[in-house]
Amino acid sequence: MLLRTLKGRHSILLVFVPVIIILLWLGTFLNPVSLTMGQTQMPLYELLLFLTGGSNLVLNIIASVLLVLIAYGMVRLNEQYIFIRQRTDLPAFVFAFIGTGAISLGGMHPSLAAAFLMFLAIDNVFKIYQGTATLAKSFNAGLLLGLATLFYLFAGVYIIWLWTALAVLGYLRAREVLAGLMGFIAPLFFAFFWYFWTDGLGAVFQAISGLFSVNTDFASISLFQFVYWGILGFLVIMSSIYMLTVYEEKKISSRKYFIVLLSFFLFSAFSFIFFGGSGVEQYFISIIPVTYITSHYFVLQKHSWIGEVFFYILVLSSISIHFLA
């Protein structure tokens, strides 16, 4: 059975992760288009556009590399912190399928670059709980969130998530909070100082204002895409309910990691609701915790045939959406 095979520990199968991403994004490579609609973006994404010559194909290749790196990072993060009480490669495959499942986000978007940096920030946040170099890890997490904000404006909200995570992990102390804040401010300060020095600060504020005013055209999103997101939503609900039933059985560290991931997902949902400009591109960010929560369910739920059925539904819908939407 497919799920039984993929939830095992067969590292050789990981070579199929980039293959899955490339095949599901084949249309993205054959007909590359810009996902930012000519809208001026945050400084680091504008720099990326300059370095790539604005080539949509090159940008989409970079996007696929970022997806692969996050997918592999999912496996490494679980092995290091044992969020799922089993060594498994499944998170990489789950991320590969759902990461390519938003047709309107087929290719490079500032939020994907931000999601990669925010994934690294999660790694640093988890390391804080180990109790070593907490100031450095707090600073690094804040720094990564600051860099993410220079790619994608609405990533800045997650500095509040960092403080929330510190509270969950028992490190909401003045020095860790300040270290995270200093790390967050540092790249923003240097970026704005550079633009001030080069008389480009007005253009940056204009870009920020423009990004706040952009609204997602939901009418342009197909019914099949909403159905697919509905399937994901159902799996998230099922997986969360299962997580709650086994919550008391988990180690204290695993419980805290779960709450940190859940809060990360909630911040993504709140950003989507309260910031109209954030749009559906929050998808790239929100699927990081979604991958772990659903993978946890697929790996550990007791009725194997139910897991197989739901996993087949996820895989088949992730493939068929590219032909229907």
Side-chain angles (χ1 to χ4, degrees):
M1 302 294 277
L2 183 60
L3 177 58
R4 184 180 302 174
T5 300
L6 295 183
K7 76 178 184 181
R9 194 67 180 88
H10 312 291
S11 298
I12 188 64
L13 291 178
L14 288 176
V15 300
F16 290 106
V17 170
V19 173
I20 291 171
I21 291 172
I22 291 172
L23 288 178
L24 293 180
W25 260 12
L26 193 58
T28 296
F29 297 122
L30 295 178
N31 300 291
V33 296
S34 173
L35 301 182
T36 53
M37 303 173 291
Q39 170 71 47
T40 303
Q41 299 296 318
M42 293 296 284
L44 283 184
Y45 194 75
E46 287 292 326
L47 176 61
L48 180 62
L49 291 175
F50 172 77
L51 294 175
T52 59
S55 170
N56 291 325
L57 177 59
V58 174
L59 287 170
N60 290 351
I61 292 173
I62 294 173
S64 64
V65 171
L66 291 178
L67 284 180
V68 171
L69 290 176
I70 296 175
Y72 286 155
M74 291 280 181
V75 176
R76 186 196 67 82
L77 205 65
N78 182 61
E79 289 186 345
Q80 188 168 357
Y81 303 106
I82 317 180
F83 175 70
I84 303 172
R85 196 178 61 251
Q86 179 175 319
R87 293 184 179 274
T88 175
D89 297 328
L90 187 64
F93 292 97
V94 172
F95 184 83
F97 281 115
I98 65 177
T100 54
I103 302 305
S104 59
L105 292 175
M108 188 65 185
H109 190 278
S111 63
L112 176 55
F116 175 72
L117 292 168
M118 294 165 79
F119 178 76
L120 298 179
I122 291 174
D123 185 15
N124 278 274
V125 167
F126 283 177
K127 287 177 180 175
I128 293 173
Y129 188 65
Q130 298 175 344
T132 57
T134 58
L135 291 182
K137 299 308 178 186
S138 298
F139 180 88
N140 291 344
L143 178 66
L144 289 163
L145 293 176
L147 291 172
T149 304
L150 289 177
F151 273 105
Y152 178 60
L153 175 63
F154 301 100
V157 176
Y158 287 81
I159 184 60
I160 304 176
W161 164 79
L162 174 58
W163 298 332
T164 303
L166 288 174
V168 171
L169 299 176
Y171 284 90
L172 188 63
R173 302 181 301 198
R175 56 182 186 175
E176 278 81 13
V177 171
L178 185 60
L181 182 60
M182 293 301 294
F184 179 75
I185 292 174
L188 300 177
F189 173 79
F190 284 111
F192 280 94
F193 177 78
W194 169 259
Y195 280 99
F196 174 79
W197 185 262
T198 57
D199 295 323
L201 201 56
V204 174
F205 286 126
Q206 186 176 3
I208 292 174
S209 176
L211 290 170
F212 270 113
S213 63
V214 173
N215 290 306
T216 302
D217 181 14
F218 289 101
S220 63
I221 300 176
S222 76
L223 174 62
F224 296 105
Q225 183 69 81
F226 283 113
V227 170
Y228 178 73
W229 287 339
I231 292 172
L232 284 184
F234 171 77
L235 289 175
V236 170
I237 293 172
M238 288 287 295
S239 301
S240 298
I241 292 174
Y242 176 76
M243 173 63 75
L244 291 175
T245 63
V246 299
Y247 182 80
E248 294 298 330
E249 301 173 9
K250 290 192 166 295
K251 295 168 55 179
I252 295 177
S253 60
S254 295
R255 297 181 197 175
K256 291 181 179 293
Y257 295 150
F258 168 69
I259 296 174
V260 169
L261 289 172
L262 179 60
S263 65
F264 189 90
F265 176 78
L266 293 176
F267 267 86
S268 177
F270 290 151
S271 295
F272 176 78
I273 294 171
F274 293 110
F275 298 103
S278 67
V280 297
E281 60 265 20
Q282 282 284 336
Y283 182 81
F284 282 131
I285 297 172
S286 64
I287 61 175
I288 293 174
V290 165
T291 295
Y292 280 122
I293 293 171
T294 54
S295 295
H296 177 273
Y297 172 74
F298 285 133
V299 171
L300 298 179
Q301 62 86 31
K302 298 177 181 178
H303 304 288
S304 59
W305 68 271
I306 296 179
E308 288 283 354
V309 170
F310 284 152
F311 188 69
Y312 270 109
I313 291 174
L314 173 63
V315 172
L316 292 177
S317 61
S318 297
I319 295 173
S320 60
I321 188 65
H322 294 273
F323 299 97
L324 298 174

